[in-house]
Amino acid sequence: MSEDDETTRSATLVSPLENDDLVANSLRLLPALPSSLLHVSLVCKRWYRLVSSHHFLRQFRAHHRNPPLVGFFSMEWKRIIFTPMLDPPDRIPASRFSLQVLPCSTLLSCPHGRVLIYNQLHKQRLLVWEPVTGELCRVSMPPSFHPTMIVVHAAVVCASTEQGHIHGSCHSDPFQVVMVASDREQFYAFAYSSQAGAWGNNSLSVKLLPYMKEDDCGISRRSTLGNSICFFLAGEKAAAIVEFDWARQTLAFLDPPSEVSQQLNLLDFHDERCQCLVKSSDSGGLILIVVKLFTVHIWERTFNADGVAKWMLWKNTTDLNNLFSLRMVPEDLTAVPLSILGLDEGGNVLVKQKESRAIFLVDLESSKFKKLSGTCPVINDGHPFSTFYTPGKYHTCILQLEQKRIYLISRLLVYRMAFISEKMINKNFEFELFRSFRCRTDY
Amino acid sequence: MEVDKGKGEAEETRKVAEADRDTVTLKSSDGKLFEVSKEAAARLSTVLAGMIAGGSIDDNGTDLKQIGSEALENVVDYCNKHANSIPSAALISSSISFNTAPFKEPEEWERKFVDRLSHDALFDLVEAANFLGMERLLDVTCHKISEMMKGKSPDQIREVFNIKNDYTKEELEEIRQELAWAFYDD
């Protein structure tokens, strides 16, 4: 470097790598994949502090908007199994997210980075699990929930009120459990708030229509949308979308397009020759996706000037056989080749090719898709799990968790306060607490 | 686009254009002069837009003491290229992107523009873009820096950016054990 160059360089500002804002501006553009921030956090302590700061993580999430799909959760007899879908180094090992639960538990859903588990046999309760932090929270069933009722759809959703909040790393945020249950006479809607620590008092119910009481009434994959949980109910030449909107406090049957319900064949619905899925549109309205073997029809629910709802059929009809270049001949098929698994956090539809177990993530509006690198678990109830995996947060959560636990214990054992506080400063005790908590399986 | 004009010529230019000139002259820390389209400068740089609106533009060359000639040349080059490029609609990436985040992937010419730069030149350009409040250029250059980190191990990143490792062996080991899965390739 010549003397001239030296003068030029010294006259400029400090190196961008010395400027936290500029480093942060570059780091936020790294892919949302789990290894990205973990790797840069190990470069030096300054970068670790930077990428684990609340401010940076907000920027990072705001840039990416949707967390990456890291894998699927599914249920085995006494264990929740994680099937990673990313390649190394982003492949989170199955053992990292694994939880032993009581037999006969049901995995209900896992949006916003939390998993909701329901156990029907043992004391009828719900378990909210945060795989990233390992935190477990038990929620008893609503007081008005009768043991004869069945849970039709339930989800644990983030209840953050932070402006511009992006879901996917909501570990310390309050949550809500929203549920639709049925006693074969009516549907009931319930909402639990973690802040209130209680179920809401509003009782919402709607009477079942005759075909819904039939044993062969079909039900679609459940969807969790912005402010509502939905599913599609199918009878013979009749159908309804059941929507519980917890923000507006409404539980209602919405009529699907008459073309869809009139042509509905229950046998086709049961053997997946006809699959339906409800999702939300960009404007917050509803979209109904109907897949008949390979052909996708998309219906959007719009409102006219008088506020009357109307379904509009999108003009472009997607053929998944062509789109995914599957080259299958429908006449030769002995079984239905594709299964709609649900939605990812960005509203893309997850489609599984049954034979190869390959997963396609498809944006049906634009017909853009990508094939995921992993394969789906054999069983059909794979729940897609998306999360931002970021450094720092995990440790922070453990700390918060310990503080919460220590606080609870100290309240419960007031008379032994002095003893407890002495123990609290003992690190071994903290470790024991942590270990016992993580290992608890007998919820 | 270096301007090396005699005194008489400069006098002439001032007479002809004054406020109507469609270019502005910028002076680097080492005294070199560059001419850039006024419209592009005002559109791409909040700082230059403020100076143009506030009338603090010097026709003999607005002093930008913090920016070296190489970086300023790149800034001016970028502004002029941007002024000629297809308008913003084409900024939408054609690659599959499910997230329509506010950040738009760099266009092909923007990629080429930063790819040819050395590390030092890139870093100087980041600072210049930051100093001049050029959001798009800052995004494009920062994107290039993030590309240089993408898929690399901490050791490789330190090497590329010449960063000193201030972790103790024990500290690194502790984190690595917990997140062993993320470091397959090490």
Side-chain angles (χ1 to χ4, degrees), chain A residues 9 12-16 26-28 39 41-43 45 47-48 63-66 93 348 369 394-395, chain B residues 66 96 98-101 103 123-124 127 139 142 146 149 152 154 158 163 166-167 171 178 181-183:
Chain A
R9 282 198 51 77
T12 59
L13 305 168
V14 287
S15 157
S26 302
L27 297 179
R28 87 185 161 99
H39 280 190
S41 70
L42 280 192
V43 168
K45 288 180 180 171
W47 283 24
Y48 173 80
H63 168 65
H64 291 286
R65 287 184 56 190
N66 295 309
N348 303 299
F369 76 97
Y394 180 51
H395 305 276
Chain B
Q66 287 83 349
I96 293 184
F98 290 108
N99 308 330
T100 35
F103 171 81
F123 290 169
D124 286 348
E127 291 155 26
D139 275 355
C142 284
S146 79
M149 298 176 193
K152 290 201 167 71
R158 270 186 232 116
I163 296 170
D166 56 357
Y167 279 107
E171 283 171 329
E178 187 176 297
W181 57 269
F183 301 97

Side-chain angles (χ1 to χ4, degrees), chain A residues 1 7-9 11-17 19 22-23 25-31 34-35 38-49 62-66 88-93 96 346 348 361-363 366 368-370 389 391 394-395 398, chain B residues 29-30 65-70 93-103 120 123-124 126-128 130-131 138-139 141-143 145-147 149-154 157-158 161 163-168 171-172 175-176 178-179 181-185:
Chain A
M1 199 179 265
T7 333
T8 316
R9 282 198 51 77
T12 59
L13 305 168
V14 287
S15 157
L17 294 177
N19 179 333
L22 293 180
V23 175
N25 203 35
S26 302
L27 297 179
R28 87 185 161 99
L29 300 178
L30 284 168
S35 75
L38 296 183
H39 280 190
V40 297
S41 70
L42 280 192
V43 168
C44 62
K45 288 180 180 171
R46 195 166 66 91
W47 283 24
Y48 173 80
R49 278 195 297 275
H63 168 65
H64 291 286
R65 287 184 56 190
N66 295 309
D90 299 301
R91 192 175 183 82
I92 301 172
R96 174 71 185 80
N348 303 299
L361 197 55
V362 54
D363 176 0
S366 66
K368 284 178 180 166
F369 76 97
K370 84 178 163 195
Y389 201 102
Y394 180 51
H395 305 276
I398 291 171
Chain B
S29 61
D30 46 343
K65 289 206 171 68
Q66 287 83 349
I67 304 174
S69 56
E70 198 192 347
S93 164
S94 57
S95 68
I96 293 184
S97 167
F98 290 108
N99 308 330
T100 35
F103 171 81
D120 280 349
F123 290 169
D124 286 348
V126 174
E127 291 155 26
N130 187 41
F131 176 74
L138 193 59
D139 275 355
T141 46
C142 284
H143 180 264
I145 293 181
S146 79
E147 296 255 288
M149 298 176 193
K150 208 160 103 180
K152 290 201 167 71
S153 70
I157 297 175
R158 270 186 232 116
F161 295 99
I163 296 170
K164 199 178 164 287
N165 180 6
D166 56 357
Y167 279 107
T168 63
E171 283 171 329
L172 272 185
I175 306 174
R176 258 164 210 267
E178 187 176 297
L179 302 168
W181 57 269
F183 301 97
Y184 274 75
D185 299 325

Side-chain angles (χ1 to χ4, degrees), chain A residues 30-102:
Chain A
L30 284 168
L33 297 168
S35 75
S36 291
L37 294 186
L38 296 183
H39 280 190
V40 297
S41 70
L42 280 192
V43 168
C44 62
K45 288 180 180 171
R46 195 166 66 91
W47 283 24
Y48 173 80
R49 278 195 297 275
L50 197 63
V51 299
S52 47
S53 75
H54 182 67
H55 179 69
F56 173 80
L57 291 171
R58 267 193 69 169
Q59 277 187 329
F60 185 74
R61 291 192 293 264
H63 168 65
H64 291 286
R65 287 184 56 190
N66 295 309
L69 175 73
V70 295
F72 284 89
F73 277 114
S74 50
M75 195 73 218
E76 259 186 21
W77 166 236
K78 276 173 73 175
R79 184 162 279 281
I80 293 178
I81 308 281
F82 177 68
T83 310
M85 291 301 290
L86 297 169
D87 288 329
D90 299 301
R91 192 175 183 82
I92 301 172
S95 57
R96 174 71 185 80
F97 295 153
S98 166
L99 183 74
Q100 201 173 337
V101 289
L102 290 168

Side-chain angles (χ1 to χ4, degrees), chain A residues 118 124 141-151 181-183 188 190:
Chain A
Y118 170 55
Q124 290 257 356
M141 295 302 275
S144 52
F145 184 90
H146 193 269
T148 55
M149 288 184 188
I150 51 159
V151 177
S182 166
D183 60 2
Y188 303 87
F190 306 99

